[in-house]
Amino acid sequence: MIVKRETPLALYKGLGAVLSGIVPKMAIRFASFEKYKAWLADKETGKTNVGGIFLAGLGAGTTEAVMVVTPMEVVKIRLQAQMHSLADPLETPRYRNAGHAVYTIVREEGFSALYRGVTLTALRQATNQGANFTAYQELKKLAHRFQPELTELPTYQHMIIGLISGAMGPFSNAPIDTIKTRLQKSSFPPGTSALSRIGSIATEMWRQEGSRSFYKGITPRVLRVAPGQAIVFAVYERVRKWIEALKEVNVDSDYSE
């Protein structure tokens, strides 16, 4: 339907918003996770238990949601939801690109509109990263247990573990994500509270479409998120090793002086 009405280019609506936000999002996610993980580590052993890993993941997801993800997704969803035919040059879209969407939203609805659905987004990202990092760390421990001779897992194993852990988040919070998406592309009368908006959307979904509506889009979401996490975790492990090696070089040079 999308390709028929709007050409194959319509499948890439909102790509600019995603690309402009993906780098800072990943940087904030892993930097904040490592910081929270260090804060929650045992003072004697320096290790963080499973509960601490989960809490660090929750904190990382909340941090990225507030700093980057919410405004990025508001813009992306607005770009994707606008109905215009890319095949018809005379049909002008409401938002030309990500930058124009930000400008228009702020001018017409105020800066706060970029943070519509921030509570649900934070809840989704928190549960996402809590499940994601916990599953990743535990699967990594399991892999080491079966391969005690390896000091470092090969990249392909990091990718497989990242793929599995990446699928955990979408399954754990699909209803939250569905309601959030509808909230961010809907308009309500001024002064309507966030709680009443969420309640209205959830009630309407249940009444008109049933319980299955809360899991709409779960398959494409898993197919998008899981492979992305496989690549992200493989890169994360590689970069982490480089940083650790660099720290050791710096420490050695300090002692030699």
Side-chain angles (χ1 to χ4, degrees):
M1 179 69 179
I2 294 174
V3 172
K4 184 178 179 181
R5 185 180 189 278
E6 305 181 56
T7 80
L9 290 175
L11 297 174
Y12 293 88
K13 279 182 181 180
L15 181 61
V18 174
L19 291 178
S20 62
I22 195 72
V23 174
K25 178 175 82 169
M26 291 303 169
I28 290 168
R29 174 184 299 175
F30 285 100
S32 59
F33 172 74
E34 291 295 340
K35 181 62 70 176
Y36 298 141
K37 180 184 168 186
W39 286 345
L40 294 165
D42 186 278
K43 303 305 178 187
E44 295 180 2
T45 63
K47 293 183 178 180
T48 311
N49 60 27
V50 179
I53 293 292
F54 182 71
L55 288 175
L58 289 179
T62 303
T63 303
E64 70 178 14
V66 174
M67 295 184 71
V68 178
V69 177
T70 303
M72 178 186 78
E73 291 211 344
V74 169
V75 172
K76 181 193 73 172
I77 290 166
R78 292 294 186 91
L79 286 168
Q80 291 173 338
Q82 62 180 350
M83 294 300 294
H84 73 282
S85 174
L86 295 177
D88 184 359
L90 297 178
E91 191 172 351
T92 307
R94 177 173 174 75
Y95 309 117
R96 295 191 296 272
N97 50 48
H100 181 251
V102 171
Y103 172 76
T104 305
I105 292 169
V106 172
R107 186 189 64 187
E108 296 181 355
E109 304 173 54
F111 184 79
S112 62
L114 292 175
Y115 279 86
R116 183 170 294 162
V118 64
T119 304
L120 287 177
T121 304
L123 185 59
R124 185 200 66 180
Q125 293 303 114
T127 51
N128 249 351
Q129 301 319 317
N132 197 4
F133 279 110
T134 303
Y136 183 78
Q137 298 290 339
E138 290 304 299
L139 288 171
K140 228 171 89 168
K141 287 179 188 175
L142 188 63
H144 276 295
R145 198 174 302 148
F146 282 106
Q147 304 167 101
E149 72 281 3
L150 296 178
T151 54
E152 285 290 341
L153 298 178
T155 300
Y156 81 90
Q157 290 189 21
H158 285 141
M159 292 186 73
I160 292 171
I161 294 171
L163 183 76
I164 297 169
S165 63
M168 299 293 183
F171 281 114
S172 69
N173 57 26
I176 297 170
D177 188 55
T178 304
I179 295 172
K180 176 203 70 72
T181 300
R182 298 200 183 196
L183 175 67
Q184 289 176 325
K185 72 178 182 181
S186 301
S187 57
F188 288 86
T192 309
S193 69
L195 189 61
S196 62
R197 291 176 181 179
I198 293 168
S200 174
I201 290 170
T203 302
E204 185 179 352
M205 286 172 62
W206 180 269
R207 186 185 299 123
Q208 295 186 2
E209 304 170 63
S211 59
R212 288 186 179 181
S213 65
F214 292 94
Y215 287 87
K216 272 188 176 179
I218 184 65
T219 301
R221 188 177 168 216
V222 170
L223 291 175
R224 172 180 63 85
V225 171
Q229 290 304 305
I231 296 169
V232 165
F233 273 112
V235 173
Y236 162 70
E237 291 290 352
R238 181 69 62 182
V239 171
R240 187 175 60 81
K241 280 194 284 185
W242 287 342
I243 293 173
E244 288 177 356
L246 188 62
K247 284 180 179 177
E248 289 177 6
V249 170
N250 290 336
V251 169
D252 290 341
S253 63
D254 288 341
Y255 278 121
S256 63
E257 292 174 1

